Structure formats: structure tokens, C-alpha cells
Amino acid sequence: MNYRITNDKEIVRYHQKTLGDASWPEFMQHDDIVEKYWHNLYDYFSDFQFAVFDNEILVGVGNMIPLYWDKPLDELPRRGVDWAMEKANSDFENNIEPNLLVAMQILINKDYRGKGISSEMVKIMKATGKRNSIGKI
């Protein structure tokens, strides 16, 4: 993949909002926990958010959140994204070192879907975890 990747929080935030609005149905955009903590993706965890561009065209956006988890992955709570948002924010505020990177979403521009981009974005997520000394994703 020879695309440009940015972690600039204002660029990623803008494009995540635009692409998210176009990708998710309206009812999926009103979760109380996500609304409470979403801004912290960019305030606390900006190194874990990225946008991919093909020249000036947005290809996709990836959102991740780091947290601490000391049990088997198959014991992760069933509350999914809500749990991860609460846990990651609590860990951050209590200075608990993360060891797990949770992929929140990968959004792909409709013109780039079906081209293997999501697999490449998962590779970016794994590399981001490694770069931040987080081995589990």
C-alpha cells in the first residue's frame, strides 16, 4: 500500500466524522457511552487514530483505543465498544499502562471498497500497537 497515512488529530477527526456519517446508519450514531467518551479518542489517544489518503482522496479512517487487560481474550466483556471506551478512559485517567489495543472501527471510502484496503488498515493497526509496545490487538 503506497498511500499517505496521517495521525494529525484534526484531520482524522474531521474525516472520521464525515466518513462515519456516510457509513453508519443514523441509529448507530447515538450511543450514550460512545458519545460521552468519543472526543477522548483525539484528546487522550490521538496516536491510535489515523486516516489514509491516496494523494488528496480519503481512502479510510481507523480508530483504536488502548487499555489494560490481564485475562484471556475470550473473557472480554460482552459490552463491547461501550466497555472498551469506559475501560480505556479509566485506565488513562489512573495511569494504568495499556497492553491491549482494541480496534473500534475501520471506515473505507466507498470508492475504495473491495480492494483489500481493510486488510492493509489492520496491518497499520498492528504496527501502531507494536510501535507503542502493545502486543495484543
Side-chain angles (χ1 to χ4, degrees), residues 70-103:
D70 63 354
K71 298 177 184 168
L73 294 178
D74 63 358
E75 292 182 23
L76 284 166
R78 300 267 183 237
R79 289 185 51 237
V81 169
D82 285 350
W83 171 82
M85 293 291 278
E86 289 176 326
K87 176 79 167 101
N89 280 275
S90 174
D91 289 354
F92 179 86
E93 291 165 357
N94 290 294
N95 295 311
I96 297 172
E97 192 71 27
N99 65 350
L100 175 66
L101 191 56
V102 176

Side-chain angles (χ1 to χ4, degrees), residues 5 33 48 54 65 69 73 85 88 105 113 131 133 137:
I5 301 166
I33 300 299
F48 301 95
D54 179 5
I65 198 161
W69 183 252
L73 294 178
M85 293 291 278
Q105 67 178 352
R113 292 180 188 157
R131 191 171 52 254
S133 302
I137 297 179

